[in-house]
Amino acid sequence: MKTGVSTACFYPLETEKALVRVGEIGVKTAEIFFNAPSELESPLIDRICEIKDKYSINIKSIHPYLSFGETYLFFCEYKRRYYDTLKIFRKHFEVAKKLNSKFLVIHGSLLPGIISKEEYFERFKNLVELGKEYDVVVAQENVVKFFSESPDFLLSMQDALKDDFHMVLDLKQAARANRSAFEFVDRLGESIVHIHVSDLNDKFDCLPPGEGVFDFNRLISKVKNMNGDVDLIIELYKKSFETDSQIIKSVDYLNSIISKH
């Protein structure tokens, strides 16, 4: 288990510059949140690879820019658009393989949705199979106002997909859906392969880890007992912190807890 940082923390700084910032603060594990199609093509993806190598950063996961429109593009009634979107995902998988990334994170469909649950699971399964061609695991993130905000939905997905179901647990998204993060941990267990971490208090649901009241000791203990290979990726919004030193302190804080377990 390692602590990393998502380039999303520095949005709207361009993705390659955000990765430089991750490297400059000494973090060696990261998630890249792509924000434009051109970032998947030369020369930008070549530059991103150069930065990764320069700072010896392990890009554990990538997050496609499609998340804003997955409902319309992928989980839609219009089959031609769905098949065209599979081609766009293929490009993301190619990039993930180039970066040696293990996971691709998707949000899925907004509620109330257009297609049936069965069709949703079939579409997801097709994406999983495409990812396997590139040795990339597709992981469903829990997101407020999406089907995935519900542990019940995710359990149904797990039942349908069996060993092909993998989950990204996002702490702030759980809080925004009025769900305990531990409900996801207790009910979905070893299916959780990746965690987006942030802290919270009674006023804010997205703070740097260590600045709120979330019980990271409990989280890390539970997750390490189930699957010790799960990394903690700090993912914050721009207004959630003021200086990079806060992120550095959060990394140190989480690593100190990890070392105790």
Side-chain angles (χ1 to χ4, degrees), residues 78-153:
Y78 198 69
K79 290 284 185 77
R80 181 180 294 161
R81 187 164 62 239
Y82 157 67
Y83 288 119
D84 285 353
T85 304
L86 272 176
K87 296 176 185 177
I88 300 174
F89 272 115
R90 182 179 288 277
K91 185 63 182 179
H92 281 87
F93 287 129
E94 290 172 356
V95 165
K97 188 173 182 67
K98 188 171 185 177
L99 291 168
N100 199 29
S101 297
K102 187 173 183 178
F103 301 112
L104 179 141
V105 182
I106 74 166
H107 286 186
S109 175
L110 277 161
L111 291 165
I114 301 168
I115 60 176
S116 68
K117 282 202 306 184
E118 291 73 22
E119 182 70 12
Y120 184 109
F121 301 155
E122 183 178 340
R123 300 277 180 93
F124 193 93
K125 173 71 172 177
N126 290 341
L127 195 58
V128 167
E129 294 300 324
L130 184 61
K132 287 179 181 179
E133 295 180 23
Y134 299 88
D135 298 318
V136 177
V137 173
V138 180
Q140 170 73 68
E141 183 175 12
N142 64 296
V143 184
V144 66
K145 298 182 181 179
F146 283 65
F147 279 100
S148 59
E149 73 174 12
S150 165
D152 289 337
F153 175 81

XYZ file of all heavy atoms in Angstrom, residues 78-153:
648
model
N -28.362 4.639 -28.072
C -27.923 4.737 -29.460
C -26.674 3.878 -29.651
O -25.564 4.283 -29.299
C -27.648 6.198 -29.816
C -27.610 6.475 -31.298
C -28.765 6.399 -32.069
C -26.421 6.809 -31.932
C -28.731 6.651 -33.432
C -26.376 7.073 -33.291
C -27.546 6.992 -34.043
O -27.507 7.239 -35.389
N -26.853 2.692 -30.203
C -25.778 1.696 -30.244
C -24.564 2.181 -31.033
O -23.430 1.860 -30.688
C -26.309 0.390 -30.850
C -27.292 -0.369 -29.962
C -26.558 -1.088 -28.850
C -27.504 -1.948 -28.008
N -27.877 -3.200 -28.641
N -24.792 2.923 -32.103
C -23.652 3.380 -32.905
C -22.732 4.260 -32.067
O -21.506 4.143 -32.149
C -24.133 4.146 -34.134
C -22.996 4.638 -35.033
C -23.524 5.388 -36.240
N -24.263 4.480 -37.121
C -25.134 4.887 -38.033
N -25.386 6.171 -38.182
N -25.744 4.007 -38.804
N -23.315 5.137 -31.257
C -22.507 6.012 -30.388
C -21.755 5.175 -29.350
O -20.593 5.464 -29.025
C -23.403 7.053 -29.718
C -22.639 8.105 -28.943
C -23.492 9.321 -28.623
N -24.635 8.989 -27.785
C -25.910 9.192 -28.119
N -26.211 9.732 -29.293
N -26.886 8.873 -27.291
N -22.407 4.170 -28.832
C -21.762 3.255 -27.875
C -20.535 2.586 -28.512
O -19.450 2.574 -27.923
C -22.774 2.220 -27.407
C -22.179 0.935 -26.886
C -21.441 0.908 -25.712
C -22.360 -0.266 -27.582
C -20.890 -0.271 -25.244
C -21.816 -1.445 -27.118
C -21.087 -1.448 -25.942
O -20.542 -2.610 -25.491
N -20.695 2.050 -29.725
C -19.570 1.373 -30.380
C -18.447 2.360 -30.720
O -17.258 2.016 -30.609
C -20.046 0.651 -31.641
C -20.874 -0.581 -31.345
C -22.189 -0.695 -31.779
C -20.326 -1.641 -30.621
C -22.946 -1.824 -31.495
C -21.069 -2.778 -30.337
C -22.379 -2.866 -30.771
O -23.124 -3.983 -30.484
N -18.811 3.564 -31.118
C -17.786 4.574 -31.383
C -17.026 4.933 -30.106
O -15.811 5.175 -30.126
C -18.424 5.831 -31.976
C -18.814 5.659 -33.439
O -18.471 4.612 -34.027
O -19.494 6.554 -33.987
N -17.742 4.966 -28.976
C -17.104 5.302 -27.704
C -16.151 4.200 -27.258
O -15.117 4.476 -26.636
C -18.167 5.576 -26.626
O -19.039 6.612 -27.082
C -17.520 6.022 -25.318
N -16.455 2.955 -27.585
C -15.511 1.868 -27.308
C -14.162 2.135 -27.968
O -13.107 1.843 -27.399
C -16.073 0.536 -27.817
C -16.958 -0.278 -26.874
C -17.493 -1.509 -27.587
C -16.208 -0.678 -25.608
N -14.196 2.717 -29.174
C -12.947 3.049 -29.873
C -12.172 4.129 -29.112
O -10.936 4.099 -29.064
C -13.252 3.516 -31.290
C -13.884 2.447 -32.170
C -14.261 3.017 -33.533
C -15.000 1.997 -34.385
N -15.437 2.562 -35.684
N -12.911 5.071 -28.529
C -12.247 6.123 -27.736
C -11.615 5.512 -26.492
O -10.495 5.869 -26.101
C -13.253 7.223 -27.357
C -13.845 7.865 -28.612
C -12.577 8.282 -26.478
C -14.958 8.855 -28.333
N -12.328 4.583 -25.861
C -11.763 3.902 -24.700
C -10.517 3.104 -25.095
O -9.555 3.022 -24.326
C -12.793 2.972 -24.053
C -13.656 3.636 -23.024
C -15.019 3.774 -23.224
C -13.110 4.118 -21.838
C -15.825 4.385 -22.271
C -13.904 4.723 -20.870
C -15.265 4.851 -21.096
N -10.540 2.508 -26.282
C -9.368 1.757 -26.727
C -8.131 2.653 -26.729
O -7.036 2.212 -26.347
C -9.600 1.170 -28.119
C -8.428 0.328 -28.622
C -8.696 -0.270 -29.994
N -9.674 -1.346 -29.950
C -9.392 -2.599 -29.633
N -8.152 -2.942 -29.316
N -10.349 -3.515 -29.641
N -8.287 3.899 -27.138
C -7.157 4.834 -27.125
C -6.658 5.062 -25.703
O -5.446 5.122 -25.459
C -7.574 6.168 -27.763
C -6.424 7.159 -27.898
C -5.338 6.624 -28.817
C -4.163 7.568 -28.929
N -3.102 7.039 -29.810
N -7.595 5.163 -24.759
C -7.196 5.312 -23.360
C -6.428 4.084 -22.865
O -5.447 4.201 -22.122
C -8.421 5.556 -22.483
C -8.934 6.956 -22.518
N -9.827 7.391 -23.467
C -8.673 8.029 -21.723
C -10.102 8.672 -23.242
N -9.419 9.076 -22.201
N -6.869 2.901 -23.276
C -6.164 1.687 -22.868
C -4.761 1.648 -23.461
O -3.803 1.209 -22.798
C -6.950 0.444 -23.308
C -8.195 0.186 -22.509
C -9.415 -0.017 -23.132
C -8.153 0.131 -21.120
C -10.565 -0.262 -22.405
C -9.295 -0.115 -20.374
C -10.506 -0.312 -21.016
N -4.611 2.087 -24.694
C -3.296 2.138 -25.316
C -2.364 3.041 -24.517
O -1.190 2.714 -24.280
C -3.411 2.648 -26.755
C -4.082 1.668 -27.714
C -4.357 2.278 -29.073
O -4.098 3.490 -29.255
O -4.837 1.547 -29.969
N -2.899 4.180 -24.093
C -2.109 5.126 -23.310
C -1.792 4.542 -21.929
O -0.673 4.689 -21.413
C -2.858 6.468 -23.191
C -2.260 7.342 -22.103
C -2.822 7.194 -24.541
N -2.770 3.877 -21.318
C -2.538 3.261 -20.006
C -1.400 2.245 -20.088
O -0.537 2.191 -19.200
C -3.817 2.595 -19.513
N -1.399 1.456 -21.139
C -0.327 0.470 -21.315
C 1.021 1.157 -21.505
O 2.036 0.721 -20.957
C -0.638 -0.437 -22.509
C 0.325 -1.613 -22.648
C -0.136 -2.557 -23.733
C 0.799 -3.763 -23.845
N 0.745 -4.624 -22.652
N 1.020 2.243 -22.264
C 2.255 2.992 -22.485
C 2.806 3.553 -21.176
O 4.023 3.611 -20.966
C 1.989 4.124 -23.480
C 3.229 4.863 -23.951
C 2.888 5.808 -25.100
C 4.154 6.447 -25.660
N 3.865 7.311 -26.833
N 1.899 3.944 -20.283
C 2.284 4.506 -18.991
C 2.504 3.428 -17.931
O 2.865 3.733 -16.797
C 1.203 5.474 -18.498
C 1.040 6.773 -19.278
C -0.245 7.478 -18.863
C 2.241 7.692 -19.057
N 2.246 2.174 -18.304
C 2.334 1.038 -17.380
C 1.346 1.205 -16.215
O 1.659 0.868 -15.068
C 3.768 0.876 -16.842
C 4.017 -0.507 -16.273
O 3.401 -1.481 -16.697
N 4.893 -0.591 -15.298
N 0.165 1.718 -16.534
C -0.879 1.922 -15.521
C -1.708 0.660 -15.367
O -2.018 -0.023 -16.350
C -1.789 3.083 -15.922
O -1.069 4.289 -15.969
N -2.103 0.384 -14.139
C -2.843 -0.842 -13.847
C -4.348 -0.672 -14.005
O -5.053 -1.601 -14.386
C -2.520 -1.303 -12.429
C -3.108 -2.651 -12.066
C -2.601 -3.119 -10.717
C -3.130 -4.509 -10.380
N -2.604 -5.000 -9.082
N -4.866 0.548 -13.683
C -6.312 0.746 -13.636
C -6.787 1.882 -14.537
O -6.081 2.887 -14.716
C -6.760 1.063 -12.201
C -6.418 -0.001 -11.205
C -5.472 0.236 -10.219
C -7.022 -1.246 -11.257
C -5.143 -0.739 -9.297
C -6.704 -2.232 -10.345
C -5.762 -1.980 -9.362
N -7.994 1.705 -15.075
C -8.728 2.778 -15.731
C -10.014 2.965 -14.949
O -10.756 2.003 -14.713
C -9.017 2.437 -17.188
C -9.806 3.497 -17.972
C -9.272 3.625 -19.398
C -11.296 3.160 -18.020
N -10.283 4.189 -14.536
C -11.408 4.491 -13.643
C -12.554 5.101 -14.435
O -12.348 6.036 -15.213
C -10.963 5.489 -12.545
C -12.105 5.771 -11.573
C -9.732 4.974 -11.810
N -13.774 4.574 -14.234
C -14.930 5.190 -14.878
C -16.007 5.495 -13.849
O -16.091 4.867 -12.792
C -15.489 4.345 -16.040
C -16.250 3.129 -15.547
C -14.390 3.922 -16.995
C -17.080 2.497 -16.643
N -16.847 6.492 -14.193
C -17.959 6.898 -13.326
C -19.216 6.100 -13.612
O -20.013 5.840 -12.714
C -18.255 8.386 -13.523
C -17.244 9.288 -12.906
N -17.385 10.663 -12.859
C -16.054 9.024 -12.296
C -16.345 11.198 -12.258
N -15.520 10.229 -11.918
N -19.435 5.737 -14.881
C -20.648 5.008 -15.231
C -21.784 5.938 -15.613
O -21.570 7.008 -16.178
N -22.996 5.543 -15.268
C -24.189 6.264 -15.695
C -24.823 7.060 -14.569
O -24.953 6.585 -13.441
C -25.221 5.280 -16.248
O -26.440 5.935 -16.558
N -25.245 8.268 -14.920
C -26.044 9.085 -14.016
C -27.395 8.432 -13.764
O -27.933 7.713 -14.602
C -26.296 10.464 -14.641
C -25.211 11.535 -14.495
C -25.424 12.616 -15.544
C -25.228 12.136 -13.090
N -27.949 8.682 -12.586
C -29.335 8.316 -12.307
C -30.274 9.278 -13.036
O -29.936 10.447 -13.199
C -29.591 8.383 -10.795
C -28.878 7.323 -9.940
C -28.925 7.726 -8.479
C -29.525 5.960 -10.146
N -31.438 8.876 -13.516
C -32.041 7.541 -13.360
C -31.610 6.556 -14.433
O -32.009 5.399 -14.407
C -33.531 7.839 -13.482
C -33.596 8.993 -14.439
C -32.391 9.843 -14.133
N -30.801 6.996 -15.398
C -30.306 6.096 -16.428
C -31.289 5.895 -17.566
O -32.461 6.265 -17.487
N -30.782 5.292 -18.635
C -31.570 5.077 -19.853
C -31.720 3.593 -20.145
O -32.766 3.141 -20.597
C -30.898 5.791 -21.049
C -30.791 7.296 -20.770
C -31.660 5.550 -22.340
C -29.902 8.031 -21.752
N -30.670 2.828 -19.871
C -30.685 1.398 -20.170
C -30.895 0.599 -18.885
O -30.742 1.121 -17.773
C -29.384 0.963 -20.870
C -28.165 1.261 -19.975
C -29.235 1.666 -22.214
C -26.846 0.775 -20.546
N -31.206 -0.676 -19.029
C -31.444 -1.546 -17.879
C -30.133 -1.854 -17.158
O -29.043 -1.694 -17.714
C -32.092 -2.848 -18.328
O -31.177 -3.612 -19.105
N -30.260 -2.331 -15.925
C -29.070 -2.747 -15.184
C -28.334 -3.853 -15.927
O -27.094 -3.869 -15.969
C -29.444 -3.243 -13.780
C -29.731 -2.159 -12.782
C -29.575 -2.636 -11.357
C -30.393 -3.859 -11.040
N -30.277 -4.222 -9.592
N -29.084 -4.784 -16.487
C -28.475 -5.895 -17.200
C -27.645 -5.403 -18.382
O -26.534 -5.895 -18.629
C -29.553 -6.864 -17.674
C -30.250 -7.635 -16.568
C -31.202 -6.785 -15.742
O -31.647 -5.732 -16.258
O -31.492 -7.171 -14.594
N -28.187 -4.408 -19.105
C -27.451 -3.834 -20.233
C -26.236 -3.056 -19.738
O -25.158 -3.102 -20.345
C -28.367 -2.920 -21.049
C -27.716 -2.290 -22.281
C -27.430 -3.279 -23.400
O -27.930 -4.415 -23.341
O -26.685 -2.914 -24.323
N -26.384 -2.348 -18.632
C -25.267 -1.624 -18.012
C -24.119 -2.604 -17.735
O -22.960 -2.343 -18.089
C -25.740 -0.984 -16.710
C -24.737 -0.108 -15.988
C -24.894 1.280 -15.942
C -23.637 -0.647 -15.321
C -23.989 2.090 -15.255
C -22.726 0.147 -14.646
C -22.918 1.515 -14.615
O -22.012 2.311 -13.937
N -24.454 -3.722 -17.098
C -23.417 -4.690 -16.744
C -22.773 -5.291 -17.989
O -21.561 -5.547 -18.009
C -24.011 -5.793 -15.865
C -24.620 -5.297 -14.578
C -25.608 -6.028 -13.935
C -24.201 -4.101 -14.008
C -26.171 -5.577 -12.751
C -24.753 -3.635 -12.820
C -25.752 -4.375 -12.194
N -23.568 -5.520 -19.015
C -23.023 -6.068 -20.263
C -22.067 -5.076 -20.917
O -20.992 -5.454 -21.403
C -24.151 -6.422 -21.227
C -23.660 -7.068 -22.513
C -24.785 -7.456 -23.460
O -25.936 -7.584 -23.004
O -24.504 -7.618 -24.663
N -22.450 -3.797 -20.939
C -21.566 -2.764 -21.511
C -20.245 -2.707 -20.728
O -19.164 -2.611 -21.309
C -22.254 -1.397 -21.465
C -23.567 -1.306 -22.239
C -23.361 -1.045 -23.711
N -24.635 -0.970 -24.398
C -25.308 0.165 -24.609
N -24.805 1.321 -24.204
N -26.463 0.127 -25.259
N -20.380 -2.739 -19.410
C -19.186 -2.684 -18.558
C -18.297 -3.899 -18.820
O -17.067 -3.782 -18.908
C -19.588 -2.614 -17.090
C -18.462 -2.254 -16.156
C -18.236 -0.935 -15.796
C -17.631 -3.238 -15.623
C -17.195 -0.597 -14.942
C -16.595 -2.913 -14.771
C -16.377 -1.590 -14.420
N -18.913 -5.061 -18.938
C -18.166 -6.287 -19.209
C -17.396 -6.174 -20.527
O -16.229 -6.596 -20.620
C -19.136 -7.467 -19.264
C -18.530 -8.784 -19.701
C -17.624 -9.379 -18.665
C -17.199 -10.794 -19.052
N -16.255 -11.385 -18.084
N -18.019 -5.595 -21.544
C -17.334 -5.409 -22.828
C -16.120 -4.507 -22.677
O -15.078 -4.731 -23.310
C -18.299 -4.822 -23.857
C -19.369 -5.809 -24.280
O -19.229 -7.011 -24.096
N -20.461 -5.297 -24.835
N -16.258 -3.488 -21.822
C -15.129 -2.592 -21.571
C -14.023 -3.327 -20.817
O -12.829 -3.145 -21.104
C -15.619 -1.379 -20.768
C -14.689 -0.172 -20.707
C -14.373 0.360 -22.090
C -15.310 0.923 -19.841
N -14.409 -4.157 -19.866
C -13.437 -4.971 -19.131
C -12.638 -5.854 -20.087
O -11.406 -5.946 -19.998
C -14.156 -5.831 -18.072
C -13.212 -6.904 -17.512
C -14.681 -4.963 -16.933
N -13.339 -6.509 -21.010
C -12.668 -7.403 -21.949
C -11.722 -6.637 -22.865
O -10.631 -7.125 -23.201
C -13.705 -8.169 -22.786
C -14.548 -9.143 -21.980
C -13.714 -10.205 -21.285
O -12.706 -10.660 -21.862
O -14.061 -10.584 -20.147
N -12.116 -5.433 -23.252
C -11.230 -4.596 -24.063
C -9.979 -4.230 -23.262
O -8.862 -4.272 -23.783
C -11.974 -3.332 -24.507
C -11.227 -2.388 -25.449
C -10.868 -3.089 -26.757
C -12.086 -1.148 -25.735
N -10.151 -3.891 -22.004
C -9.017 -3.552 -21.152
C -8.040 -4.704 -20.989
O -6.820 -4.493 -20.913
N -8.565 -5.913 -20.944
C -7.697 -7.084 -20.785
C -6.704 -7.224 -21.932
O -5.599 -7.755 -21.747
C -8.543 -8.349 -20.677
C -9.274 -8.506 -19.358
C -10.113 -9.780 -19.363
C -10.875 -9.953 -18.062
N -11.713 -11.187 -18.063
N -7.087 -6.744 -23.108
C -6.171 -6.804 -24.253
C -4.899 -5.993 -23.990
O -3.859 -6.218 -24.614
C -6.858 -6.280 -25.513
C -8.040 -7.120 -25.986
C -8.683 -6.539 -27.232
O -7.998 -5.784 -27.967
O -9.868 -6.828 -27.467
N -4.999 -5.034 -23.067
C -3.875 -4.144 -22.764
C -3.359 -4.339 -21.335
O -2.572 -3.529 -20.850
C -4.318 -2.688 -22.963
C -4.750 -2.381 -24.377
C -6.072 -2.587 -24.777
C -3.839 -1.933 -25.330
C -6.474 -2.330 -26.076
C -4.230 -1.676 -26.632
C -5.556 -1.885 -26.999
O -5.946 -1.632 -28.299
N -3.828 -5.399 -20.672
C -3.445 -5.672 -19.273
C -3.846 -4.539 -18.341
O -3.125 -4.200 -17.395
C -1.943 -5.934 -19.156
C -1.505 -7.159 -19.949
O -2.230 -8.167 -19.914
O -0.451 -7.094 -20.607
N -5.002 -3.940 -18.613
C -5.526 -2.841 -17.799
C -6.849 -3.280 -17.182
O -7.710 -3.848 -17.860
C -5.729 -1.563 -18.648
C -6.343 -0.451 -17.801
C -4.406 -1.103 -19.249
N -7.008 -3.003 -15.898
C -8.223 -3.351 -15.162
C -9.169 -2.153 -15.158
O -8.765 -1.033 -14.813
C -7.882 -3.749 -13.710
C -9.158 -3.948 -12.888
C -7.029 -5.002 -13.694
N -10.421 -2.389 -15.543
C -11.434 -1.333 -15.500
C -12.090 -1.352 -14.129
O -12.554 -2.400 -13.660
C -12.504 -1.535 -16.585
C -13.547 -0.426 -16.528
C -11.854 -1.584 -17.966
N -12.138 -0.208 -13.478
C -12.678 -0.127 -12.118
C -13.796 0.908 -12.034
O -13.643 2.035 -12.514
C -11.567 0.219 -11.127
N -14.889 0.503 -11.425
C -16.062 1.356 -11.243
C -15.903 2.192 -9.969
O -15.714 1.659 -8.888
C -17.312 0.492 -11.135
C -18.582 1.214 -10.696
C -19.148 2.103 -11.789
O -19.625 1.610 -12.803
N -19.104 3.406 -11.568
N -15.985 3.501 -10.109
C -15.905 4.399 -8.958
C -17.304 4.701 -8.422
O -18.265 4.820 -9.186
C -15.223 5.704 -9.378
C -15.017 6.688 -8.235
C -14.239 7.918 -8.665
O -14.054 8.122 -9.885
O -13.808 8.669 -7.782
N -17.428 4.807 -7.113
C -18.693 5.278 -6.527
C -18.774 6.797 -6.679
O -17.848 7.514 -6.309
C -18.801 4.882 -5.056
C -17.739 5.536 -4.182
O -16.544 5.282 -4.359
N -18.164 6.368 -3.242
N -19.871 7.274 -7.274
C -20.029 8.706 -7.553
C -21.449 9.132 -7.203
O -22.422 8.480 -7.597
C -19.745 9.026 -9.043
C -19.825 10.530 -9.297
C -18.376 8.496 -9.452
N -21.581 10.230 -6.479
C -22.894 10.726 -6.075
C -23.740 11.074 -7.305
O -23.227 11.578 -8.301
C -22.747 11.958 -5.147
C -22.133 13.153 -5.882
C -24.087 12.338 -4.540
N -25.025 10.744 -7.212
C -26.013 10.961 -8.276
C -25.830 10.016 -9.466
O -26.494 10.169 -10.484
C -26.035 12.421 -8.734
C -26.443 13.394 -7.628
C -26.494 14.827 -8.132
C -26.892 15.776 -7.000
N -26.940 17.190 -7.438
N -24.924 9.069 -9.332
C -24.747 8.009 -10.314
C -25.270 6.699 -9.712
O -25.415 6.583 -8.492
C -23.271 7.847 -10.683
C -22.745 8.897 -11.627
C -22.670 10.238 -11.256
C -22.310 8.551 -12.902
C -22.180 11.197 -12.115
C -21.811 9.515 -13.777
C -21.761 10.835 -13.387
N -25.530 5.721 -10.556
C -25.929 4.406 -10.045
C -24.945 3.906 -8.999
O -25.326 3.267 -8.016
C -26.018 3.399 -11.197
C -27.287 3.480 -11.984
C -27.328 4.137 -13.207
C -28.449 2.901 -11.514
C -28.495 4.215 -13.947
C -29.629 2.969 -12.239
C -29.654 3.626 -13.470
N -23.681 4.211 -9.209
C -22.624 3.673 -8.356
C -22.562 4.312 -6.975
O -21.735 3.900 -6.155
C -21.264 3.840 -9.053
O -21.007 5.203 -9.325
N -23.424 5.289 -6.685
C -23.445 5.847 -5.338
C -23.994 4.828 -4.332
O -23.803 4.969 -3.126
C -24.296 7.121 -5.279
C -25.798 6.892 -5.354
C -26.621 8.165 -5.137
O -26.022 9.265 -5.148
O -27.835 8.036 -4.950
N -24.678 3.791 -4.834
C -25.356 2.817 -3.984
C -24.546 1.533 -3.840
O -24.253 0.871 -4.839
C -26.723 2.480 -4.589
O -27.255 1.316 -4.011
N -24.221 1.128 -2.614
C -23.570 -0.173 -2.423
C -24.432 -1.327 -2.937
O -23.895 -2.329 -3.417
C -23.379 -0.263 -0.905
C -23.353 1.161 -0.441
C -24.312 1.883 -1.347
N -25.762 -1.195 -2.856
C -26.644 -2.248 -3.361
C -26.447 -2.450 -4.860
O -26.391 -3.585 -5.349
C -28.109 -1.912 -3.076
C -28.466 -2.009 -1.603
O -27.751 -2.731 -0.873
O -29.434 -1.357 -1.175
N -26.365 -1.343 -5.596
C -26.128 -1.438 -7.038
C -24.784 -2.100 -7.319
O -24.673 -2.974 -8.185
C -26.169 -0.061 -7.689
C -25.815 -0.068 -9.148
C -26.758 -0.410 -10.102
C -24.529 0.244 -9.574
C -26.432 -0.448 -11.461
C -24.191 0.208 -10.921
C -25.157 -0.129 -11.865
